[in-house]
């Protein structure tokens, strides 16, 4: 088999992807990191070649893809959509979806469709405030418009042969939203329990009774409605830990302000990136997790906290809620959190072990390695009709 190309971005997920593919197929993987910066910020261990976005669409680079057995796209955006339209018909493409790259672009027609009422109002307010663009921003948007306005996204995405989103439920949503979506589904995920999620913990269990809410400074977290829920229960001295280290700056600052006003010193916003082991140690003090997303998001946090034994509360419309319920996991709806005394109830040891067994089935090191080999072998044997 020839070598495998990976087109990636500078993100924390790529180290895990590199390790997984190199373990399964040593010295067969070539990573191209699309970036305008010489120094990578988030990738620490993966060996990759930085490539400027403009060069990604050059004839030389596109022709070079013919030498690879297959091309994995880690994160789909307009730039990679353009790449799909320019590449040779013989190039095999696999899209490893993250969530944000298919919900916004293909599943929902408007971002507001993923927001609850109060958050939608805030989103519109912040969007109006951010409409004052600098000359550079106007220039970039104009260039982007002329580059991509003639591209039929739904047509271009059919150049993808296989699609591996976070959950099978996500694949079904994309297939329902994109007419005649041709890509076949194959399961694959970033990271493993042992290497990325609970690595370094002396004892994988909950150590406190705090509450974790959300996973990022993005409106899809619906923080405001989550705060309303917490205002209706007796926190009894619990801290509210709120990860806000990545996302939208203006949204982050607003949520920090509202959180402090609502909960005072009990509100702990995490505005800066933390080493993974420090972050997991901190959130392991939370016995309750509120993820108020309508879409699938925050799976890493959900998996970690579920394995540790926390009670996970999700919106019923969230594909993650549907997935875990179908698997027989003990997860709960946001509505259930508001029941009297629910915050005090903990999972039974037998329930925690059932959840852990489900997680091992899908995200253990062994499971991810099997998914990786099955994925590559299926692509290798695939012949486009």
């Amino acid at each position: 088999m020839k070598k495998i190309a990976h087109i990636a971005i500078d993100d924390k997920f790529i180290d895990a992807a590199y390790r997984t593919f190199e373990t399964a197929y040593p010295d067969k993987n070539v990573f191209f990191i699309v970036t305008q910066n010489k120094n990578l910020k988030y990738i620490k261990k993966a060996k990759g070649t930085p490539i400027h976005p403009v060069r990604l669409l050059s004839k030389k680079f596109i022709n070079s893809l013919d030498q690879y057995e297959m091309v994995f796209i880690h994160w789909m955006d307009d730039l990679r959509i353009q790449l799909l339209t320019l590449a040779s018909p013989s190039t095999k493409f696999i899209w490893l979806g993250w969530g944000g790259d298919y919900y916004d672009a293909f599943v929902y027609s408007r971002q507001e469709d993923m927001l609850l009422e109060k958050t939608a109002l805030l989103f519109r307010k912040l969007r109006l405030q951010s409409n004052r663009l600098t000359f550079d921003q106007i220039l970039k948007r104009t260039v982007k418009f002329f580059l991509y306005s003639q591209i039929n996204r739904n047509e271009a995405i059919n150049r993808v042969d296989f699609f591996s989103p976070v959950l099978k439920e996500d694949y079904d949503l994309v297939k329902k939203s994109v007419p005649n979506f041709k890509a076949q589904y194959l399961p694959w995920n970033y990271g493993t329990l042992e290497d990325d999620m609970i690595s370094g913990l002396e004892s994988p269990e909950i150590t406190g009774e705090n509450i974790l809410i959300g996973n990022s400074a993005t409106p899809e977290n619906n923080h405001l409605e989550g705060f309303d829920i917490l205002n209706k229960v007796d926190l009894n001295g619990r801290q509210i830990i709120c990860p806000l280290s990545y996302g939208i700056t203006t949204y982050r600052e607003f949520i920090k302000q509202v959180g402090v006003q609502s909960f005072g010193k009990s509100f702990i916003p995490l505005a800066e990136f933390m080493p993974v082991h420090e972050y997991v140690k901190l959130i392991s003090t939370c016995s309750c997790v509120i993820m108020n997303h309508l879409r699938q998001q925050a799976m890493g946090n959900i998996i970690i906290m579920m394995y540790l034994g926390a009670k996970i509360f999700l919106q019923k419309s969230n594909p993650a809620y549907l997935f875990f319920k179908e698997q027989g996991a003990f997860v709960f709806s946001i509505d259930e959190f508001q029941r009297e005394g629910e915050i005090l109830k903990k999972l039974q040891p037998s329930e925690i072990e059932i959840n852990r067994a489900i997680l091992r089935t899908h995200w253990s090191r062994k499971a991810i390695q099997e998914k990786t080999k099955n994925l590559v072998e299926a692509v290798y044997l695939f012949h486009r009709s």
Side-chain angles (χ1 to χ4, degrees), residues 270-284:
L270 306 180
E272 303 294 333
F273 279 97
M274 301 170 62
V276 174
H277 66 282
E278 290 182 17
Y279 176 72
V280 175
K281 185 177 181 180
L282 177 59
I283 64 174
S284 69

Side-chain angles (χ1 to χ4, degrees), residues 13 16 19-20 166 188-205 275-284 298-308 324 356 359-360 362-365 368 371:
F13 289 127
R19 182 191 64 242
T20 298
V166 180
W188 192 85
N189 299 102
Y190 290 88
T192 69
L193 281 167
E194 300 92 331
D195 300 308
D196 305 290
M197 300 175 190
I198 58 171
S199 174
L201 285 180
E202 295 179 6
S203 55
E205 58 187 23
V276 174
H277 66 282
E278 290 182 17
Y279 176 72
V280 175
K281 185 177 181 180
L282 177 59
I283 64 174
S284 69
M299 284 297 291
N301 283 272
I302 292 169
I303 292 167
I304 291 169
M305 297 307 293
M306 187 183 295
Y307 194 90
L308 295 179
F324 283 117
R356 288 178 174 177
L359 295 175
R360 291 189 197 102
H362 296 278
W363 286 281
S364 68
R365 185 188 295 132
I368 297 300
K371 289 181 183 181

Side-chain angles (χ1 to χ4, degrees), residues 248-271:
I248 304 170
T249 302
T250 52
Y251 180 82
R252 175 191 300 123
E253 295 307 311
F254 187 89
I255 294 303
K256 284 169 60 178
Q257 181 181 350
V258 175
V260 171
Q261 288 175 349
S262 300
F263 309 107
K265 294 182 179 179
S266 296
F267 184 73
I268 312 297
L270 306 180

Side-chain angles (χ1 to χ4, degrees), residues 119-329:
T119 298
L121 288 172
L122 171 61
F123 173 73
R124 287 195 288 270
K125 178 182 176 181
L126 295 177
R127 186 172 57 187
L128 285 172
Q129 292 175 352
S130 65
N131 278 343
R132 302 184 186 92
L133 302 177
T134 66
F135 175 77
D136 286 345
Q137 289 172 323
I138 294 173
L139 180 61
K140 286 181 180 179
R141 290 194 178 188
T142 302
V143 171
K144 187 175 181 179
F145 172 80
F146 282 108
L147 274 176
Y148 306 123
S149 61
Q150 302 304 314
I151 298 175
N152 184 319
R153 297 175 62 84
N154 289 353
E155 189 175 301
I157 208 66
N158 273 326
R159 274 292 285 108
V160 172
D161 299 299
F162 292 91
F163 178 36
S164 298
V166 180
L167 299 173
K168 171 61 164 59
E169 285 76 1
D170 289 345
Y171 173 83
D172 295 335
L173 286 172
V174 174
K175 192 166 181 62
K176 182 179 179 181
S177 302
V178 179
N180 303 314
F181 186 55
K182 297 177 181 178
Q184 299 179 43
Y185 169 76
L186 280 173
W188 192 85
N189 299 102
Y190 290 88
T192 69
L193 281 167
E194 300 92 331
D195 300 308
D196 305 290
M197 300 175 190
I198 58 171
S199 174
L201 285 180
E202 295 179 6
S203 55
E205 58 187 23
I206 295 300
T207 61
E209 296 186 345
N210 295 328
I211 298 171
L212 178 68
I213 183 166
N215 77 311
S216 61
T218 58
E220 290 83 356
N221 284 267
N222 292 301
H223 286 102
L224 296 181
E225 286 82 2
F227 292 168
D228 286 345
I229 293 170
L230 290 174
N231 275 318
K232 296 176 183 177
V233 300
D234 182 6
L235 296 177
N236 195 24
R238 291 175 173 83
Q239 291 184 323
I240 298 169
I241 297 176
C242 185
L244 299 167
S245 58
Y246 68 94
I248 304 170
T249 302
T250 52
Y251 180 82
R252 175 191 300 123
E253 295 307 311
F254 187 89
I255 294 303
K256 284 169 60 178
Q257 181 181 350
V258 175
V260 171
Q261 288 175 349
S262 300
F263 309 107
K265 294 182 179 179
S266 296
F267 184 73
I268 312 297
L270 306 180
E272 303 294 333
F273 279 97
M274 301 170 62
V276 174
H277 66 282
E278 290 182 17
Y279 176 72
V280 175
K281 185 177 181 180
L282 177 59
I283 64 174
S284 69
T285 65
C286 300
S287 58
C288 286
V289 177
I290 296 177
M291 294 297 177
N292 207 24
H293 315 82
L294 300 180
R295 52 156 277 193
Q296 175 276 117
Q297 193 169 317
M299 284 297 291
N301 283 272
I302 292 169
I303 292 167
I304 291 169
M305 297 307 293
M306 187 183 295
Y307 194 90
L308 295 179
K311 291 188 74 171
I312 311 296
F313 295 88
L314 305 167
Q315 286 283 347
K316 287 183 178 179
S317 63
N318 188 333
Y321 178 83
L322 302 175
F323 167 79
F324 283 117
K325 278 295 186 182
E326 288 180 359
Q327 295 293 311

